[in-house]
Amino acid sequence: MSETPPKDIAALDPAGLTEAVSALGMPAYRGKQLLAWLYDKVVSGFDAMTDLPAAFRDSIAETYSLQLPELVETQRSSDGTRKYLWRFADSVMVESVGIPVGDRLTVCFSTQAGCAMGCRFCATGEGGFVRDLLPGEMTWQVALVARDFGMRASNAVAMGQGEPMRNYDATLGALRLMNAKEGLGIGARHLTVSTCGVIPGIERLAREPEQFTLAVSLHSAVQKTRDRIMPSVKKWPLETLQSALIDYTQRTGRRPTLEFALIAGENDSPAEVSALVAFARGWMCHVNLIPVNPVTGANADRPSDARIAEIANSLSAAGVETTVRSERGTDIDAACGQLTQRHRPKGA
Ligand code: SAH
Ligand code: SF4
């Protein structure tokens, strides 16, 4: 008898779980129970799923593997932010961050191990691409961070490692597991996808039935600067990006966020600010200014607090809705990819 290797249960989104249970001869509601055991209760084996018939548990265990990520390291900031490094069964590692604000908890999760986009200021980009994550591998990050805080996650953002639009189906699958009431029960508007500007992904997201939130890493509205700091998105010029975003707002009625990491001497000049005003004015968007987190190997310093405030004021005065991201976790390896960067062997 030839043995087929078990399939990874983490590869399935809610529809996939329903199909999997019906293929095993079970009614659809068993799929919802399975989803709850995997992502709400987060059990480490099928035999712990005590309200499922034993024969059904045996047949799922024959077909699928279930391997939770292992916690490698946690860092706790004095401001309450916690950062986690996880290792999957194949030794691949990714990071997540938990950010508590009052009774709310936002979890920032990774969608890929590493990233192929190579943005100049980003620790993840510097390390290159390792592999795509599965929907369940993303959802477990959020579920396990929430469990560590003893809270439910009110928000989840795909702003950890990886470019979600380069792993679109799995990311959407994860958002659906997080959104499912049997899963994490997080409202679609509280689930955010952040992209460096992969237009086909923005176009697809605009057509999804759920009200997921979109953030776009802009970082410069001057083509030459953007090409230099974000070389992989050169093929989608700013004009095309702006039209795709305007189309997104018209289809969805939702306001995307433009993320702008301020780097001294790179994108903080008056000309950069005017270009940003021209890009963002007159349509429904919101600019979030982020003082850049210095990353080993990347020559990126943040402007002074006074310059950041000045930029925020000029944008607001020009009618562009603007906020400055409040700093969290600066005493831990807060920038995306930094914890993995420390764990990576030299030269790898
Ligand atoms: N790949 C996606 C999502 C992950 S990166 C994207 O690029 O949008 C999440 C956010 O962190 C992006 O806005 C990214 O530009 C930003 N980021 C990366 N490195 C940073 C750093 N050193 N300082 C501040 N923000 C950084
Ligand atoms: Fe990838 Fe985003 Fe980092 Fe760019 S900023 S390298 S797209 S993770």
Side-chain angles (χ1 to χ4, degrees), residues 125-171:
E126 184 252 355
F129 176 71
V130 181
R131 75 160 167 88
D132 283 331
L133 298 193
L134 299 171
E137 292 176 326
M138 298 179 212
T139 310
W140 278 324
Q141 294 171 53
V142 179
L144 291 170
V145 169
R147 175 187 277 187
D148 186 56
F149 274 90
M151 292 168 83
R152 62 172 287 279
S154 56
N155 297 68
V157 296
M159 287 189 190
Q161 288 159 277
E163 170 46 49
M165 299 308 194
R166 282 289 191 86
N167 187 17
Y168 187 92
D169 292 332
T171 300

Side-chain angles (χ1 to χ4, degrees), residues 115 117-119 121-122 124-125 160-163 196 336:
C115 183
M117 308 305 284
C119 302
F121 47 84
C122 174
T124 306
Q161 288 159 277
E163 170 46 49
C196 61
C336 135

